[in-house]
């Protein structure tokens, strides 16, 4: 998902069974949730391990796409950079 001027990150303040209260650009926003959306939001918060969620500033639609959490220490690209940095220090 690409961010544009109408999509920003909201800070989750409270999560209920049928609504979520966010801080969006310094303003309190209450978003009503269906039962399925509430389940998705709860899963999103658990997987993302943070309290930020992308939200459309006009429609207040939440974008709850998520992937399994990743650990940067396990990322091959970062491991290679670290190895090359260690080799350069030894020289």
């Amino acid at each position: 998902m690409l961010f544009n001027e109408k999509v920003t990150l909201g800070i989750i303040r409270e999560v209920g069974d049928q609504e979520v209260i966010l801080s969006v650009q310094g303003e309190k926003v209450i978003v009503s949730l269906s039962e399925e959306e509430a389940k998705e939001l709860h899963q999103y918060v658990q997987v993302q391990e943070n309290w930020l969620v992308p939200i459309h500033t006009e429609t207040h639609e939440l974008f709850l796409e998520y992937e399994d959490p990743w650990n940067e220490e396990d990322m091959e690209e970062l491991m290679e950079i670290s190895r090359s940095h260690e080799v350069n220090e030894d020289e």
Side-chain angles (χ1 to χ4, degrees):
M1 175 185 58
L2 298 175
F3 287 91
N4 63 39
E5 65 276 354
K6 294 183 182 181
V7 177
T8 189
L9 288 174
I11 302 168
I12 300 171
R13 296 294 182 197
E14 294 181 39
V15 178
D17 292 333
Q18 296 295 310
E19 67 183 19
V20 61
I21 299 173
L22 304 160
S23 176
V24 180
Q25 297 175 334
E27 295 184 25
K28 180 179 175 180
V29 175
I30 300 173
V31 179
S32 297
L33 304 170
S34 68
E35 187 175 324
E36 183 177 322
E37 290 171 327
K39 287 180 184 178
E40 286 180 29
L41 180 61
H42 292 166
Q43 180 68 26
Y44 176 87
V45 170
Q46 290 175 0
V47 170
Q48 294 298 324
E49 298 178 349
N50 69 50
W51 294 92
L52 301 174
V53 62
I55 183 172
H56 192 283
T57 56
E58 293 176 358
T59 65
H60 295 158
E61 177 185 359
L62 302 178
F63 297 96
L64 301 177
E65 296 178 20
Y66 55 83
E67 298 176 9
D68 291 330
W70 48 271
N71 184 342
E72 63 188 30
E73 293 175 357
D74 295 334
M75 292 182 65
E76 188 64 33
E77 298 88 359
L78 295 177
M79 291 169 63
E80 284 299 320
I81 292 169
S82 178
R83 284 186 203 119
S84 67
H85 182 67
E86 288 172 1
V87 168
N88 290 337
E89 286 182 349
D90 291 340
E91 293 177 354

